[in-house]
Amino acid sequence: MNAQETLEKTPLNDFAWWFWFVVPLYPFSKRRTIRREVIKDTVWTFDQIQGIFYVVVPIRMTVVKLDRGLLIYAPVAPTPECIRLVNELVAEHGDVKYIILPTISGIEHKVFVGPFARHFPNAQVFVAPNQWSFPLNLPLSWLGFPPQRTHVLPQDSSQAPFADECDYAILGAIELGPGRFSEVAFFHKKSRTLLVTDSVVSVPEDPPAIVQLDPYPLLFHAKDSATDAIADTLANRRKGWQRTALFALYFRPSVLDVVGWGEVLRNAFKSPDRSRKNYFGLFPFKWMQNWQRSFDALCGNGRLFVAPILQTLILNRAPKETIDWANKVASWNFEWIIPCHFDAPIKARSHQFRQAFTFLEQHNTFPLPQEDFQLLKDIDAGLSKLGIVPPPQHKS
């Protein structure tokens, strides 16, 4: 494995980039990229970060070498640095042949496809079926996708032009009321590598390399109170990462209390750092002493699981369809899994992937602490009561 990294500013001459200035998604106008060679001369990952208010996690693109060029799964931001790193592979392994958008709902994946494709004019773009956009359901060409070379992935994977080297399975579209959810899992046969978007994740105990290039967000969440000074130590980086993972996966786990605004403001005046970078000393969080037990329930030797938000708000709307999809994916003989978020690559086999979906069945093999789901359950109940989303279906 090798890594290359640099700091680059994102270009402002593309309409899609303005999304990141309207929505407060960290790291705003600056992104760094780490390229890793996962399987020699065959599979590479490109990691960047995304987040809101210092809750930062990796977002990942995967490049696979085919016999006739390169396939790119889930493009990330095409910064000058990122494009340079891709072009280094192009020079050695051939042109970008295919660009895959494997989701219909993940704006963080969709927004970069058009800008990315314009850097590789010979590439054909394939998108998951049933695309939609919010708040207006616009044609893909209006979102920057090149119209003459953008195609919908055939439902029958044998009809795709790369079928001899890759198989895929489409989950959905799952109807969610105001929108839909879908994911396309890809299997590269030669390298025995499974590519997924959001369906399964694995959380490492230590912070990934990409989030350590700028450790400040980790150190911010390592604080126990507003009056703590931010100290850059390995222990604080790990502590901050583990709390960040809980934020990202649960929004508000049971081991987190939210401090009242009166106390927040009083504590802010006592903060040793009231700079804008430190949110003017505001720190509305209070972690219980046993907070790490919630993280330990997530983490462990490449353990695969479905993110709590998907368990609570999305996949339980179509349990049978999801299980059928998981069974199809589990029929492939893969040895590695590369998700678009958190850890990768993950050394895992098909039975481990299938096991992650037992939360949809009566025999849930590895249940996560149900108390940590409470906020998500409250959101689910509220949306269902208002008729905004369909109610969850019963387990099989």
Side-chain angles (χ1 to χ4, degrees), residues 356-387:
F357 293 87
T358 58
F359 74 93
L360 291 169
E361 302 167 304
Q362 298 297 340
H363 57 284
N364 192 354
T365 311
F366 292 121
L368 296 173
Q370 288 304 295
E371 57 269 24
D372 288 332
F373 282 78
Q374 191 57 54
L375 176 61
L376 293 172
K377 289 179 179 178
D378 291 344
I379 294 172
D380 180 38
L383 294 175
S384 297
K385 184 177 181 179
L386 293 172

Side-chain angles (χ1 to χ4, degrees), residues 125-394:
V125 179
F126 284 87
V127 304
N130 301 298
Q131 290 291 323
W132 66 283
S133 60
F134 179 85
L136 297 176
N137 195 13
L138 302 173
L140 288 178
S141 59
W142 287 35
L143 300 176
F145 287 65
Q148 300 303 317
R149 49 193 179 99
T150 298
H151 319 277
V152 176
L153 283 166
Q155 289 288 342
D156 181 356
S157 61
S158 68
Q159 301 302 307
F162 39 78
D164 55 336
E165 297 185 74
C166 295
D167 199 355
Y168 62 82
I170 302 171
L171 170 60
I174 299 174
E175 293 294 336
L176 299 173
R180 297 185 294 267
F181 174 87
S182 181
E183 175 165 334
V184 185
F186 259 68
F187 174 51
H188 182 234
K189 302 171 187 177
K190 183 177 180 180
S191 67
R192 295 188 176 182
T193 302
L194 175 68
L195 310 179
V196 296
T197 311
D198 302 310
S199 57
V200 294
V201 292
S202 178
V203 180
E205 185 176 5
D206 293 311
I210 188 65
V211 302
Q212 296 203 61
L213 295 183
D214 176 11
Y216 191 87
L218 303 180
L219 303 176
F220 178 85
H221 286 295
K223 297 190 301 180
D224 290 315
S225 72
T227 58
D228 288 350
I230 292 180
D232 188 0
T233 66
L234 292 177
N236 277 344
R237 291 189 181 199
R238 174 185 284 190
K239 181 181 179 182
W241 163 250
Q242 293 179 1
R243 289 176 171 180
T244 295
L246 291 173
F247 268 123
L249 291 167
Y250 292 114
F251 299 162
R252 182 183 171 183
S254 62
V255 290
L256 175 68
D257 280 335
V258 176
V259 181
W261 277 107
E263 184 178 349
V264 169
L265 293 173
R266 288 192 297 273
N267 290 337
F269 284 106
K270 303 175 186 177
S271 173
D273 180 4
R274 293 195 295 274
S275 67
R276 180 179 179 182
K277 186 177 183 180
N278 193 42
Y279 291 124
F280 309 103
L282 300 174
F283 191 76
F285 312 116
K286 184 177 182 181
W287 292 90
M288 300 180 185
Q289 288 189 344
N290 62 340
W291 68 266
Q292 194 159 3
R293 68 170 178 80
S294 287
F295 178 83
D296 292 342
L298 295 172
C299 182
N301 282 335
R303 174 185 174 185
L304 287 171
F305 62 94
V306 175
I309 188 170
L310 265 68
Q311 290 193 32
T312 310
L313 300 174
I314 297 176
L315 299 185
N316 57 352
R317 267 60 187 177
K320 183 180 185 305
E321 184 177 1
T322 302
I323 289 296
D324 290 344
W325 176 80
N327 285 337
K328 180 175 181 180
V329 173
S331 70
W332 298 330
N333 187 26
F334 52 84
E335 296 180 355
W336 295 96
I337 301 178
I338 301 179
C340 286
H341 302 286
F342 290 100
D343 203 12
I346 305 161
K347 183 73 170 176
R349 303 303 292 264
S350 58
H351 70 278
Q352 293 168 285
F353 176 87
R354 177 61 180 83
Q355 208 166 47
F357 293 87
T358 58
F359 74 93
L360 291 169
E361 302 167 304
Q362 298 297 340
H363 57 284
N364 192 354
T365 311
F366 292 121
L368 296 173
Q370 288 304 295
E371 57 269 24
D372 288 332
F373 282 78
Q374 191 57 54
L375 176 61
L376 293 172
K377 289 179 179 178
D378 291 344
I379 294 172
D380 180 38
L383 294 175
S384 297
K385 184 177 181 179
L386 293 172
I388 297 174
V389 299
Q393 298 182 24
H394 295 295

